[in-house]
């Protein structure tokens, strides 16, 4: 063998070797991509991530001869229409649009499948259907008048839900008793019925220990009126009974069948009998064996993050099987738990359903989005300040909040800035900059709100808070301020004359601070505050979706604060339960 032959063989061997390494690397990466992906909830998608994901999916899913690809891409260009509507007009238009598009607010459906399909085919079908669903919601997001919640965008999490819905006879939607309708997803109930007309959904009103009896009674009336299957439940109380910290009788005293908080055994047997009824109805309709005895039933648990699914499962199983913390989103995969040979429970990871009703800050305050994702803490704390009466905050924290100015409604909720600063002052929270550590304070206040230390609850739609008249003195004037964020201007007309000097002083300093000069008249300046016209001067542009919820206020400290004067409708008063 000549020298040249030797080197040619060497080169060929090296080439072959390199090729093999390259091939195994690619295979490894593919494997890593397909199998080692950590299942993570995605509610916020930075535009660049969405673009990459779209490109990735589009390349994988659509061949050249499938023009559907073009139509399925999500248009990230949101509409930049900046209409100059007043807050009231915005809210009205938002309400109309919400009613108009309510039917578009769906959960993604799993495309039809059968056992003969290959894994790749199944995967491609599901991805394609998911993209179409995302596209329909992206269109809604482009609508300037709508505020869409940051919903779950990870297909793999929805796949977990699909499986739980498919395998369950009875679907239990766990909701937080403090605001059950916020956590309810009617379209999921509809989806369950589409899969099987006999499937039913039961609303498990967890954390019922945070509701007084009278409020449970009102909710019971509401659920019965609307033909909603429900049960009041407290995973916390059930766990305390299991651990011997509370007697079972503590639950028995909680009212009649419609309003009582179920004990563990009662809940298990009710779930089993409801599921057995469903199986029986299905069997009857198939007319296979009319009197066949139901052998085994499965009950699936679904719901938003942090509503207490894991706590419920742990209480029902009797031992700690799933992790419980106040950080939302730690249950990652559904779990199947065999309770008896006749009853199996299935726990789905918590997921955020698409909805119109809430802002990002409400979702943080409601425990659905993790507190650590919070960037604008004042906005989230304002939700707490709007919902928990001033005197309750003062009592719980043993602080004194600044009183409203003479020209402000006497019962206006505290500003987030006031609450944060008073809290920081009382606890000595100081940041390294030497300013009050508002971030630390905000986290603690939100945690207390989520954990129920700052007690609050909503009343059923159309029902007033049970002791609305027991609010702080002067509340009668407040009803006007409840109607809309734009009412600040009207309230100006009823302000006491003796507060005029304060008004003038405040407006002067506001004008000076905003470079408006002293030549502007009072009304000119007030209009700007109400309409938020001077907003752009000193606040970075807000996401279009959030604007409808807020008006600008000069805050007690002369700083720019975006907040609403509006006390949300149906907020119940606070009573220790
Ligand atoms: N007061 C009260 N708190 C509860 C009750 N059930 C759960 N919690 C609290 O609510 C928080 C969330 O409970 P989890 O059981 O982890 O909620 P989850 O729905 O499984 O949450 P994900 O894993 O995010 O889906 C924890 O801090 C619980 O202690 C209850 O009945 N009453």
């Amino acid at each position: 063998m000549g020298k040249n032959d030797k080197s040619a063989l060497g080169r060929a061997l090296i080439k072959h070797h390199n090729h093999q390494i390259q091939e195994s690397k690619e295979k490894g990466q593919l494997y890593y991509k397909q199998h080692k992906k950590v299942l993570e909830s995605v509610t916020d998608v930075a535009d660049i991530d969405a673009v990459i994901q779209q490109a990735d999916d589009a390349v994988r899913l659509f061949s050249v001869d499938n023009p559907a690809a073009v139509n399925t891409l999500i248009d990230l260009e949101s509409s930049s229409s900046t209409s100059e509507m007043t807050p009231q007009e915005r809210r009205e238009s938002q309400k109309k649009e919400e009613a108009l598009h309510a039917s578009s607010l769906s959960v993604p459906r799993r495309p039809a499948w059968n056992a003969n399909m290959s894994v790749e085919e199944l995967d491609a079908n599901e991805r394609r259907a998911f993209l179409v669903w995302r596209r329909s919601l992206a269109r809604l997001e482009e609508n300037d008048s709508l505020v869409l919640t940051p919903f779950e965008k990870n297909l793999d999490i929805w796949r977990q839900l699909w499986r739980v819905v498919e395998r369950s006879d009875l679907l239990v939607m766990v909701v937080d008793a403090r605001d059950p309708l916020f956590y309810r997803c009617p379209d999921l109930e509809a989806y369950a019925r589409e899969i099987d007309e006999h499937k039913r959904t039961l609303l498990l009103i967890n954390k019922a220990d945070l509701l007084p009896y009278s409020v449970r009674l009102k909710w019971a009336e509401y659920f019965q009126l609307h033909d909603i299957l429900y049960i009041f439940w407290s995973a916390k109380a059930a766990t305390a009974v299991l651990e011997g910290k509370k007697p079972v009788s503590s639950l028995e005293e909680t009212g009649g069948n419609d309003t009582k908080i179920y004990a563990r055994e009662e809940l298990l047997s009710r779930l089993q009998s409801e599921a057995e009824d469903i199986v029986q109805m299905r069997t009857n309709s198939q007319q296979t064996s009319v009197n066949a005895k139901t052998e085994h039933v499965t009950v699936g648990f679904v719901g938003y993050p942090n509503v207490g699914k894991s706590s419920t499962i742990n209480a029902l199983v009797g031992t700690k099987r799933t992790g419980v913390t106040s950080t939302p989103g730690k249950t990652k995969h559904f779990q199947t738990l065999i309770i008896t040979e006749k009853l199996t429970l299935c726990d789905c990871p918590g997921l955020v359903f698409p909805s119109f009703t809430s802002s990002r800050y409400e979702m943080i305050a409601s425990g659905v989005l993790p507190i650590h994702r919070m960037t604008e803490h004042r906005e989230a704390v304002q939700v707490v300040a709007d919902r928990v009466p001033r005197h309750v905050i003062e009592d719980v924290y043993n602080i004194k909040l600044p009183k409203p100015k003479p020209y402000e409604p006497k019962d206006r909720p505290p500003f987030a800035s006031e609450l944060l600063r008073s809290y920081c002052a009382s606890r000595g929270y100081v940041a390294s900059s030497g300013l009050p550590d508002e971030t630390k304070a905000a986290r603690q206040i939100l945690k207390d709100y989520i954990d129920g230390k700052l007690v609050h609850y909503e009343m059923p739609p159309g029902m007033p808070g049970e002791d609305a008249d027991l609010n702080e003195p002067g509340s009668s004037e407040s009803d006007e301020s409840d109607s809309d964020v734009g009412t600040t201007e009207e309230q100006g007309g009823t302000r006491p004359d003796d507060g005029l000097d304060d008004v003038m002083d405040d407006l002067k300093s506001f004008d000076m601070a905003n470079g408006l000069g002293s030549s502007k008249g009072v009304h000119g300046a007030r209009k700007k505050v109400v309409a938020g016209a001077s907003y752009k001067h000193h606040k970075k542009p807000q996401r279009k979706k959030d604007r409808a919820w807020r008006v600008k206020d000069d805050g007690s400290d002369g700083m720019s604060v975006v907040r609403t004067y509006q006390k949300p409708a149906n907020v119940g008063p606070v009573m220790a339960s």
Side-chain angles (χ1 to χ4, degrees):
M1 198 181 279
K3 197 182 169 198
N4 277 351
D5 290 342
K6 264 189 192 170
S7 60
L9 179 65
R11 275 201 301 275
L13 283 172
I14 290 168
K15 205 172 159 191
H16 179 68
H17 178 73
N18 287 346
H19 182 72
Q20 272 190 325
I21 287 183
Q22 184 61 28
E23 212 172 15
S24 70
K25 254 189 192 171
E26 278 166 11
K27 269 190 191 157
Q29 276 170 358
L30 192 72
Y31 178 82
Y32 182 79
K33 262 192 172 171
Q34 286 178 348
H35 302 276
K36 298 276 175 193
K37 226 171 27 180
V38 177
L39 193 52
E40 209 171 282
S41 173
V42 181
T43 48
D44 298 296
V45 179
D47 282 5
I48 189 67
D49 292 341
V51 171
I52 292 167
Q53 172 79 29
Q54 278 178 41
D56 198 26
D57 288 342
V59 167
R60 193 140 25 101
L61 291 175
F62 305 105
S63 57
V64 209
D65 55 358
N66 183 1
V70 181
N71 298 329
T72 317
L73 286 181
I74 296 162
D75 180 10
L76 293 164
E77 276 279 306
S78 58
S79 154
S80 59
S81 135
T82 50
S83 75
E84 292 301 321
M85 282 196 245
T86 64
Q88 173 140 22
E89 285 166 349
R90 262 183 184 284
R91 278 181 64 77
E92 274 165 14
S93 136
Q94 186 180 358
K95 278 206 178 113
K96 270 190 211 146
E97 289 291 314
E98 282 180 6
L100 203 66
H101 296 282
S103 59
S104 320
L105 213 54
S106 57
V107 298
R109 270 44 175 180
R110 185 179 189 187
W113 61 278
N114 62 55
N116 297 328
M117 284 179 175
S118 69
V119 177
E120 291 76 21
E121 200 180 346
L122 216 59
D123 182 66
N125 284 350
E126 289 181 357
R127 284 178 185 279
R128 192 176 297 121
F130 190 69
L131 269 181
V132 170
W133 173 75
R134 290 255 343 245
R135 164 115 188 110
S136 70
L137 289 184
R139 259 196 229 112
L140 286 184
E141 284 179 307
E142 285 163 20
N143 186 331
D144 225 7
S145 308
L146 294 173
V147 182
L148 209 66
T149 52
F151 56 93
E152 181 58 61
K153 296 180 182 73
N154 184 349
L155 168 60
D156 289 328
I157 302 252
W158 287 105
R159 281 175 163 151
Q160 303 274 317
L161 179 85
W162 290 339
R163 264 153 224 153
V164 172
V165 176
E166 278 171 12
R167 68 171 55 194
S168 306
D169 299 302
L170 174 72
L171 203 61
V172 173
M173 195 178 288
V174 186
V175 297
D176 189 317
R178 291 170 288 182
D179 192 358
L181 299 186
F182 173 92
Y183 300 91
R184 184 183 176 216
C185 177
D187 191 56
L188 184 61
E189 299 172 24
Y191 178 40
R193 281 194 306 272
E194 282 168 28
I195 295 176
D196 171 359
E197 57 173 321
H198 301 291
K199 274 190 210 285
R200 286 191 79 187
T201 306
L202 181 145
L203 224 52
L204 190 68
I205 321 287
N206 188 37
K207 309 194 187 182
D209 54 289
L210 299 173
L211 291 191
Y213 169 72
S214 55
V215 177
R216 286 208 307 277
L217 196 63
K218 295 246 166 72
W219 274 111
E221 277 170 26
Y222 176 86
F223 293 135
Q224 283 160 16
L225 192 70
H226 292 85
D227 206 17
I228 296 170
L229 192 62
Y230 72 94
I231 286 177
F232 287 111
W233 163 252
S234 167
K236 189 177 177 182
T239 309
V241 171
L242 259 180
E243 291 169 353
K245 291 180 188 157
K246 258 188 177 184
V248 193
S249 57
S250 61
L251 293 174
E252 284 164 1
E253 287 156 10
T254 54
N257 260 350
D258 299 335
T259 51
K260 75 171 177 189
I261 300 177
Y262 273 54
R264 174 181 176 268
E265 285 72 21
E266 285 174 315
L267 180 61
L268 279 172
S269 76
R270 172 83 189 269
L271 294 180
Q272 182 163 344
S273 75
E274 291 285 349
E276 281 175 356
D277 286 352
I278 291 167
V279 174
Q280 193 61 57
M281 273 192 294
R282 190 187 299 136
T283 316
N284 290 351
S285 73
Q286 288 163 351
Q287 293 181 338
T288 42
S289 47
V290 178
N291 287 323
K293 196 111 180 69
T294 309
E295 289 295 318
H296 179 262
V297 291
T298 303
V299 177
F301 285 74
V302 297
Y304 275 85
N306 220 33
V307 289
K309 290 180 302 305
S310 304
S311 306
T312 298
I313 295 280
N314 287 337
L316 291 180
V317 173
T319 52
K320 194 164 185 270
R321 298 290 291 271
T322 59
V324 173
T325 73
S326 57
T327 308
K330 66 268 157 207
T331 308
K332 301 291 185 203
H333 291 270
F334 81 82
Q335 299 192 41
T336 306
L337 303 138
I338 297 163
I339 302 293
T340 62
E341 56 193 24
K342 288 190 166 181
L343 177 66
T344 296
L345 306 183
C346 206
D347 181 23
C348 182
L351 46 81
V352 183
F353 299 97
S355 115
F356 287 139
T357 48
S358 48
S359 69
R360 157 178 308 277
Y361 314 110
E362 275 180 277
M363 301 200 90
I364 291 172
S366 304
V368 168
L369 294 180
I371 293 176
H372 66 252
R373 293 233 199 116
M374 172 176 66
T375 48
E376 291 165 84
H377 54 262
R378 282 195 182 185
E379 315 277 8
V381 168
Q382 192 61 58
V383 175
V384 178
D386 284 341
R387 289 187 182 168
V388 183
R390 175 183 287 268
H391 66 94
V392 174
I393 299 176
E394 290 183 331
D395 288 352
V396 170
Y397 288 144
N398 198 18
I399 55 175
K400 211 82 210 121
L401 293 163
K403 289 262 171 284
K405 299 234 167 70
Y407 58 86
E408 291 175 328
K410 285 197 184 67
D411 69 336
R412 72 145 173 86
F415 298 144
S417 58
E418 294 172 334
L419 171 52
L420 287 164
R421 289 183 177 198
S422 306
Y423 188 91
C424 285
S426 71
R427 306 298 192 267
Y429 285 4
V430 182
S432 53
S433 61
L435 293 170
D437 192 345
E438 290 194 9
T439 310
K440 186 173 173 190
R443 281 169 196 244
Q444 190 53 53
I445 291 169
L446 286 164
K447 190 171 181 309
D448 291 342
Y449 180 78
I450 293 163
D451 290 348
K453 186 173 167 188
L454 286 172
V455 185
H456 70 284
Y457 49 81
E458 299 284 324
M459 298 299 285
M463 291 193 197
E466 58 170 3
D467 65 353
D469 52 334
L470 295 183
N471 269 339
E472 289 182 32
S475 63
S476 51
E477 290 167 37
S478 71
D479 295 336
E480 288 155 42
S481 68
D482 284 354
S483 61
D484 197 84
V485 284
T487 51
T488 319
E489 197 164 25
E490 288 99 79
Q491 284 149 9
T494 59
R495 69 188 186 274
D497 285 347
D498 57 3
L500 195 62
D501 289 345
D502 296 290
V503 180
M504 295 299 285
D505 285 351
D506 272 15
L507 290 174
K508 251 188 229 151
S509 56
F510 175 76
D511 284 354
M512 298 300 284
N514 293 291
L516 296 174
S518 56
S519 61
K520 291 257 190 289
V522 169
H523 290 295
R526 279 190 67 75
K527 266 221 164 80
K528 278 193 183 301
V529 175
V530 173
S534 59
Y535 185 71
K536 298 183 200 83
H537 290 301
H538 48 144
K539 181 93 186 172
K540 67 176 189 307
Q542 299 293 318
R543 287 176 61 208
K544 69 180 170 75
K545 300 175 186 68
D546 298 324
R547 286 201 305 264
W549 294 84
R550 304 177 292 184
V551 290
K552 187 192 159 291
D553 192 288
D554 57 336
S556 62
D557 50 4
M559 288 178 70
S560 165
V561 181
V562 179
R563 65 177 303 277
T564 167
Y565 278 111
Q566 184 190 19
K567 183 178 152 195
N570 298 320
V571 175
V574 173
M575 280 171 48
S577 53

